[in-house]
Amino acid sequence: MIPQIVVIVTTIKLLFIPLYHSTDFEVHRNWLAITHNLTLDKWYYDETSEWTLDYPPLFAWLEFVMSFIAKYFDPKMLYLTNLNYKSEMTILFQRLSVIVLDFVYINSVKNLSTYVGNGKLLVFILLVTSPGLLMIDHIHFQYNGFLYGLFLHSISHVIRSNNLTAAFWFAVLLNLKHIFLYVAPVYLVFMFRAYCFTISSVDGVHTPWYSFSFTNLFKMGFTVLSVVGLSFGPFIQHLPQILSRLFPFKRGLCHAYWAPNFWALYTFVDKVLLHLAIKFGIQAKKTEASMTGGLVQEYEHAILPTITPTVTFVLTFVTMVPALIKLWYLCADRRYRVMSFVRCLVVCAGCSFLFGWHVHEKAILLILIPLSFLSVLGDVDGKQFLILTTVGNYSLFPLLYPKNLLCIKIFMLLTHVAIAFVNIPTLYEPAKVKGGRRVRVLRLPLLKQTESLYLYILIFMCVYENSLHILWGFDKTLPFLPLMMTSVYCSFGVIYVWIKFYHYFLTFNVSQVPTLCSVNLAQKYKKTT
Amino acid sequence: MTRRADPDKFTVTKEALLPGLLFAMLVRWCVAAYPYSGYKTPPMYGDYEAQRHWQEITVHTPKVKWYHNTTQNDLQYWGLDYPPLTAYHSLLMGLVADWLDPESVRLFASRGYENDFHKTFMRWTVFLSDIYFYFTVALCICMDAERVLGKEARDKSVFKRTDIATTLFLLYPGIILIDHGHFQYNCVSLGLFLWATFFIIAIENDTLATIFFVFALNYKQMELYHALPFFFYLLRKCFIGMPLGRGKFVHFVRSLNKLAIAVVSTFVIVWYPFLNGWDNVFQVLNRLFPLNRGIFEDKVSNVWCMVNVFIKLKTIYTNQEMAKTCLLITAMAAGPACVDLFFRISKKKFVPCLINVSLAFFLFSFQVHEKSILLVAIPVALHLPEDPFMCFWFLLVSNFSMLPLLVKDGLFIPFIATNLIYTSFYSICLRLSQPNSGYFSIFNANRVAKILQPNKKDSSPLLSFLSLIFFFSIIGMILLTIGTVFVEPPPQYPDIFPLLVSAYSCAHFLFFFFYFYYQQFSLPMCLPAVTKVKRK
C-alpha cells in the first residue's frame, strides 16, 4: 500500500504549490543566486540581500548543484540583485525541488518502518503525513523533509548496528544544518559506548574498560572528521566568518513569536508580574518592551532576571546529563540499545527545545519525528506521542498566518491525529471484552481524563483565536494575545510530555521492558549478529 | 418500514472512517484555495458572482419580485434562474453575509465584489452545505449497504465496508472540483436527491422519499433528470401488496393518494410566496426553463454537440423545433429503462435505472451543461460497489469531460491532484481485499471482478479485453489532457482540444449507455418487500 500512500501525499504537496510561502522562499532563492554566481570565498560574505547564507557549507553545495537545474526553469531567478523575484517558473522549481528531495525522507521512512514488528504501515503513514513537515516544507518553504530523511537514515543504520555509516550520515547532516547539534551529545555517548567498547554486558551496570578499542575510536574519529574536513576545508580561511554566520548570538532569547518552550512560560510570567507591578505601583526595571512584534533582537525581562545565552546553555546541558548517563548504562545491553538511543534522542531534543537559546518553533520536529517512530514500539511512547503530535503540530499554526490556510491546517492536523488516535491504541489495548468496559464520556483512547481535557481545550483556543477574538474586537487592543495564548498553552503540553517521557526514560528498566514490540527487533539482531 | 437484517449483527467498520472523512474535508479545502469561476474577470464574472448576486437580490428585494425584472432586479445580470429553494438558501446565506460584511451584499454597489474574506466566507457556505446535505447521506447509504450484507459477506467485499465506501464516495473528484473549485451548490441538490434515494433503497419509506425528491427538484430543476425512475418506481409500488379480491382499486388509490398529497403539499409549501397569481408562477417557470437559450452551451460531450460539428443545428432549426426533437429522442432513449423498471421491478434496478435515464437526458436532451454529467456520475458512484471496474472507469471519464471548463477556471492542478488521489484510494481498496495487487491492478478487470466473486478462478477473455480498452482509454485521456494544457492549437481551429475532449467523452458515454442498459436488463425481477408485514 506504500506506493498509493506516497502518491496521495505527494499530490497533496502538489496542491500546495501556488499557496502562500514565507520569506524563507526568498532566502533559498537568494542562496541559489549566491552559490551560482559567486566564487567559493565570497559565499559567506555576500550581503546583497538581508537573507545571508547561514547554513553550513554542505547545504551551500546542495544549493550550488540545484542552481544548475534551476537555470532550465528560469535563469532570472539566479540574478543576485533580483530580490524578491517570484515568477511562476521560480515557484514551480523551488516547490518541486522540495517535493523531489522529500523522496529521500520517504525512502528513509520506508526503510525504517521495516524494522518495526507490529504497525509497519502505521508508522510509515504517521511519519509521511506529519502535518508539521507538510506545513513547514510545502507551504512555509524549507527543506526539512530532506534533512530529517538523512536523520532517519542515520537512525536506521544505528538499528542495523552499522555504527560507522550512521556516524557518517550524521556528520553529513550536521554539515547540512547545524540545528542537529542539539542531539549530537546523544550520538557521542552512544557511539562511544556501543562502538568503541567492543564487549557488551547484559546487567547494564558494569563498564568493561578493558575492552576499549582504539582502532574503533580512530575509525569513528576519522569518518567524522573527514566529513567535516571536506565540508569546511575549502573555507578554512573564512572559518570565523562562517561561524559568526552560523551562530548569531545577537538574536533574542525567543524567536519572533515564542516557541512553546520553557522561556515562553518564563516570559509570560514576567509579563504578568510586570502588569501586577504597575498595578500596585512598584517600580520595575523597564516598563515597556514588546516581545512579540516582528524582528525582535534582544529583550530584557522586566521583573525576573534577564537570561543570557550562557544560562540557557548551562541549563540545557544540565538537563541533558542525567539522560546521557542513563543512556551510557542502557547502551550496555545489546538488545535494548537502539530503543534507548532513539528515546534519548527524544529526551535531549526536548531539553534543547525547552531551554535552548533562540529556539525556532520548527525545532519541535526534532522531538516529534523520532517520537513518531517510537509510537508503535511501546505504550508509553505511543501515549506521549498522541499528546505531543496534537500539541506540537498545533503550536506551528501561527507560522502560516494567512486566513485562507486555516482550514487546510486544521484538517491536515485532524486527519493525522485521527489516524494516530484510531490506530495506535489498537496496538496496545487488550481485545475488547464484551460489555466489560465502562463507557467513558469524551475520553480519548489511551489518555487520562485530564489529558483529554487538555487536548479538547485546544479546540476552544482555535475557535477563540480565529473568530471570537476578532468578533469581540480584541484584535485592535491586544493583537498578540492569540500568539501568546498558543505558545503558553502549548508549552504546558510540551513540558508535560517531556517530564513524563524523561521520567519514563530514567526509570526504564531492561528487565521490565514490554517486549510486545521488540520481538522483531530482537530477531533482526539475531540475523545481523 | 421493515428491517431486513438482524440488528445485532450490525457493527460499523470504522477503522478508517474518521481519518477518511477528515481527509475528504482536507481535499475539499485544498481545492478551495484555488480560484473560482470568473475570478477577476469583469464584467460578468462567473458562477461565484451569480451566487453572490442572488444573495444580494434575495436580501434586499421582496420575495415576489425575485423572479421579475424590476428596477432593483436586473434579470440580464445573473437573474435568478433556479427554483425557490435555491433562493431561500441564498437568502439565508445573504443574511449571514449581511451581518458579517454588509458591503458584500449591498444592492448594485456590490457587483463584482471580491476579496479574500468574502471568498473564505463563500467557501465556508459550500463546505457547511456539503457536510450537512452530502456527507451525512453518503455515510447513511454506506452504513446501510454494509448492514444488509451481514457479517459473513462483509469481509469479502471491501467496497461495502462503511469506512472505505464512504471515503471513496466522498473523494469523487467531479463534485469536489465543481462545488469547491468552480463554485456551485450541487452538493445540496444532489444531497437531497441522495436522501430520496436512501429512503427508497434503504429505509423503504416512500412518502419521505417523495418529499425529499420534491425538495431536490425545488433546489435545481436539473433534478428532472432523475424524476422518471422515481415516478415509475413509486407508481409501481402502489400496485404491490394488493388484497385479493375486492378492494384492489381502493388500495391503489390510497397508496397513490399518500404520495400525491406529499408531492402537492411540499410544492405548495415551497412555492407559497409565489402563489398569488398565475402570472407569477409562469414567470418563475419561464425563468427556470428558458427555451430561448439554445441547445447547448460551449462544448458539451453530448450527441447534439457532436452532430453540430457536421450539421449546424442552430442555423437550420429553430429552438422550438429543436426542443421538440430533443424531447422525442430523449423519451425514446429513456423510455425502455423506465418501462423495464415498471414491469420488472426490483430494488436493485433502481440505481441502474437512475443512471440510464439521467445519461439519456445528458446525451439527448435540450440545453445541457457540461456540469450536468454530475447528475449521472453520482448514481454511478452509488453503483460502484456493485460493479467497481466499469463505474470507476465511467467516473474518470466524467471528470475528464469537464476538463476544458476546469482549465478555464485555473483548476488544472486540482484536477490532476484530485484524480490522482481518487485513483490511489481506489487502488488502496483493491489492495485491501487482495494483498498481492499492486498499484496498477486497477487496469485489470479480472482482478477487480474477483473482489466480488472470490471463488471465480479463471479469467474471462471479455474482461481481459475490457482491461485493454480501459488502459488505452486512460492513455487517450492523458494525451488529450496534455494537449489541452500544453499544446498551442492551430489558429484555424482554436477550439480543437475542447471539441476533441467532448467527442472522446461522448463516445465513452454512448458506450456506457449501452453497457448500463444491458446491466439493468440483465437484473432479474424482484418485488420489493411489502411495508407493514403482519407477523404471526
Side-chain angles (χ1 to χ4, degrees), chain A residues 37-56:
Chain A
N37 292 318
L38 300 178
T39 48
L40 214 62
D41 50 332
K42 290 191 186 128
W43 281 3
Y44 283 93
Y45 288 95
D46 181 76
E47 279 177 356
T48 321
S49 159
E50 59 177 320
W51 312 114
T52 51
L53 187 55
D54 57 2
Y55 272 28

Side-chain angles (χ1 to χ4, degrees), chain A residues 332-463:
Chain A
D333 193 316
R334 203 157 251 231
R335 290 166 302 167
Y336 301 108
R337 195 180 262 176
V338 178
M339 298 263 286
S340 311
F341 167 70
V342 183
R343 287 203 179 102
C344 194
L345 281 180
V346 173
V347 169
C348 289
C351 295
S352 47
F353 179 79
L354 285 179
F355 302 107
W357 180 258
H358 191 79
V359 174
H360 277 245
E361 57 289 336
K362 297 154 217 157
I364 190 95
L365 288 179
L366 200 56
I367 317 174
L368 260 176
I369 285 179
L371 191 59
S372 312
F373 172 62
L374 286 174
S375 68
V376 294
L377 295 176
D379 54 350
V380 179
D381 309 85
K383 190 183 140 178
Q384 302 308 333
F385 170 73
L386 288 182
I387 303 175
L388 194 70
T389 194
T390 320
V391 180
N393 287 314
Y394 179 81
S395 76
L396 291 171
F397 273 17
L399 204 59
L400 310 174
Y401 59 85
K403 284 273 178 262
N404 61 341
L405 297 177
L406 179 69
C407 295
I408 296 181
K409 292 187 291 194
I410 291 178
F411 284 104
M412 202 149 62
L413 176 60
L414 284 180
T415 310
H416 175 79
V417 167
I419 294 170
F421 271 100
V422 169
N423 290 302
I424 288 182
T426 58
L427 293 176
Y428 307 116
E429 276 182 354
K432 272 184 193 167
V433 189
K434 248 189 186 174
R437 288 197 312 170
R438 281 181 297 137
V439 180
R440 300 167 307 179
V441 184
L442 284 178
R443 206 175 113 183
L444 294 168
L446 278 186
L447 300 190
K448 287 186 209 142
Q449 199 81 54
T450 41
E451 292 164 340
S452 313
L453 187 69
Y454 173 81
L455 294 186
Y456 281 126
I457 289 177
L458 280 180
I459 300 172
F460 294 107
M461 298 262 300
C462 189
V463 171

Side-chain angles (χ1 to χ4, degrees), chain A residues 1 4 7 15 18 407 422, chain B residues 15 25 29 34 124 424 427 431:
Chain A
M1 216 179 289
Q4 284 93 334
V7 172
L15 275 170
C407 295
V422 169
Chain B
E15 292 99 63
M25 294 182 199
W29 277 110
Y34 282 76
W124 265 104
S424 305
S427 172
R431 168 99 188 173

